[in-house]
Amino acid sequence: QVQLAESGGGSVQAGGSLRLSCAASGYSYCMGWFRLAPGKEREGLAILVRASGRSYYADSVKGRFTISQDNAKNTLYLQMNSLKPEDTAMYYCASGNSCGLSPPKFDYQGQGTQVTVSS
């Protein structure tokens, strides 16, 4: 069982930036982020394969969001730039021995952190 703890959410104006962090209690082959907005389905955002560092992004965030890791701290990050009101959602860190982006598929997930973008 891997435990994940997100931090870094908050409120920001459109065009602003936030960086989410996810501290993991153990190692998983892959990690990623997905979000859930009211009235919408879960949306996979990005996946990172830990050993290779290879990353994959949803079209909706490609070029604006960057997923990265700090192996020494066993921490995953999501740098979010050029935020839009439609990015408002609960953001979840997730991990697993296999990961899927669309639809999002992971073995473990955190409790989530709220991101609110105002216009």
Side-chain angles (χ1 to χ4, degrees), residues 87-103:
D87 292 318
T88 295
M90 185 71 79
Y91 283 68
Y92 295 87
C93 171
S95 70
N97 292 322
S98 66
C99 299
L101 191 60
S102 182

Side-chain angles (χ1 to χ4, degrees), residues 54-69:
R54 188 156 186 167
S55 57
Y56 305 85
Y57 294 92
D59 289 342
S60 60
V61 303
K62 198 174 296 182
R64 299 191 299 125
F65 291 9
T66 303
I67 190 171
S68 62
Q69 62 180 337

Side-chain angles (χ1 to χ4, degrees), residues 7-13 15-21 33 64-66 77-84 87-89 91 113-118:
S7 61
S11 297
V12 64
Q13 289 192 328
S17 298
L18 283 173
R19 188 177 80 155
L20 305 183
S21 299
W33 296 90
R64 299 191 299 125
F65 291 9
T66 303
Y77 301 100
L78 186 68
Q79 177 67 43
M80 306 186 295
N81 298 329
S82 302
L83 283 162
K84 306 174 183 179
D87 292 318
T88 295
Y91 283 68
T113 186
Q114 178 68 37
V115 171
T116 302
V117 184
S118 58

Side-chain angles (χ1 to χ4, degrees), residues 33-45 58 60 89-95 100-110:
W33 296 90
F34 69 91
R35 66 189 178 190
L36 181 61
K40 296 186 178 181
E41 295 185 353
R42 295 189 315 159
E43 180 186 13
L45 302 175
S60 60
M90 185 71 79
Y91 283 68
Y92 295 87
C93 171
S95 70
L101 191 60
S102 182
K105 180 181 178 296
F106 302 90
D107 297 323
Y108 310 104
Q109 68 181 66

